[in-house]
Structure formats: structure tokens, C-alpha cells
Amino acid sequence: NAQVAEYYGEAPANIKSCDETSDPAFCDTFHATDESYWKDIAFWTTPIEQCLDGRKDITCVPYAKWVQAWAEIKG
């Protein structure tokens, strides 16, 4: 897990990996142990018609339509 985290430049999924990184400050750099930092992160999810930000007065664009629009743009 330490090698994958270092390769992608992200916090490791397992905090015990911090002991295995080549850079002793790696987990500090990527906020691996800073729980308050992670509370402000919005992780990506596949878009669906039900808006995940709480809006109920509109329909959001589902993933299939994103794919269709991208295919049309690319040609």
C-alpha cells in the first residue's frame, strides 16, 4: 500500500503503510493522519439523476448521458 500511495501521490489507505514509505514525511505531506482535513473532501461518485448535493428541484445528468456527450464530442 505504501508503494501504491507513493506512486500515485496520495495518502495510503492503511495508516500502517506510513511506516513503510521511502519519505518519512510522506504521510504528513498527504494528510494521511489528519482527520479534520479529510472531513472537507468530497469523493467522486458516478453521476446519477438524483442530485447528491441535496437539490430536489432539478434532475442531474446521469453517467450514461456524460458518456454519450463525450462520444459525440470526440466524433
Side-chain angles (χ1 to χ4, degrees), residues 11-72:
N14 185 332
I15 201 67
K16 292 178 182 178
S17 298
C18 291
D19 294 333
E20 305 298 325
T21 58
S22 60
D23 175 5
F26 182 85
C27 285
D28 291 333
T29 300
F30 291 96
H31 307 277
T33 59
D34 184 356
E35 289 189 36
S36 63
Y37 176 84
W38 293 103
K39 289 179 182 176
D40 292 331
I41 300 294
F43 292 97
W44 184 87
T45 59
T46 301
I48 59 175
E49 285 186 2
Q50 176 189 356
C51 299
L52 299 179
D53 62 3
R55 292 177 290 171
K56 304 234 184 267
D57 58 332
I58 66 166
T59 300
C60 284
V61 178
Y63 183 71
K65 292 202 179 205
W66 285 78
V67 172
Q68 179 183 359
W70 179 245
E72 291 172 9

